[in-house]
Amino acid sequence: MRRDEFVFTIGYQADAAIVDRAAMKKYAKLGTMELLDLGLYRAAFCSALYSENDDEMKEFLHSFAEKTGIKSDTADDLKRLFGVYPTSDVNKTLLI
């Protein structure tokens, strides 16, 4: 899965990821912190998660806590909050 597809995935059906086409088209070029600043918290979290960069995730966690008051020490806590679980079983994407 490409970054923009993962960031804007809204669900899964069988082996397909369901992707928000309008949001992806509008915001795909933005980075993690830009998405966070716009209030797109789930997309920003997915972006940080996809990057697999510990520094980026720490920056996200800190800024997210400041903006929302929801404190989390690890990405695993927020995976549950946002319902984000990366999967390797995705073979295609459906843009809606």
Side-chain angles (χ1 to χ4, degrees), residues 28-64:
K29 294 182 179 166
L30 299 180
T32 299
M33 300 314 290
E34 293 167 311
L35 292 167
L36 182 68
D37 289 340
L38 289 174
L40 300 171
Y41 300 133
R42 185 181 188 280
F45 174 68
C46 289
S47 176
L49 193 61
Y50 189 86
S51 75
E52 297 181 347
N53 181 320
D54 289 338
D55 293 334
E56 185 174 344
M57 183 56 75
K58 286 177 186 175
E59 183 180 4
F60 170 82
L61 292 172
H62 176 74
S63 296
F64 179 74

Side-chain angles (χ1 to χ4, degrees), residues 1-12 17-21 23-25 28 42-43 46-47 50 90-95:
M1 250 180 131
R2 296 186 333 243
R3 175 197 174 270
D4 55 342
E5 293 171 338
F6 179 72
V7 169
F8 297 103
T9 294
I10 56 175
Y12 298 92
I18 311 300
V19 179
D20 182 340
R21 179 193 315 247
M24 185 173 74
K25 183 177 179 181
R42 185 181 188 280
C46 289
S47 176
Y50 189 86
V90 175
N91 294 322
K92 59 185 173 182
T93 57
L94 299 173
L95 302 175

Side-chain angles (χ1 to χ4, degrees), residues 69-81:
I70 300 172
K71 298 185 188 308
S72 177
D73 295 329
T74 67
D76 288 336
D77 296 338
L78 294 183
K79 284 180 184 177
R80 183 171 178 193
L81 175 70

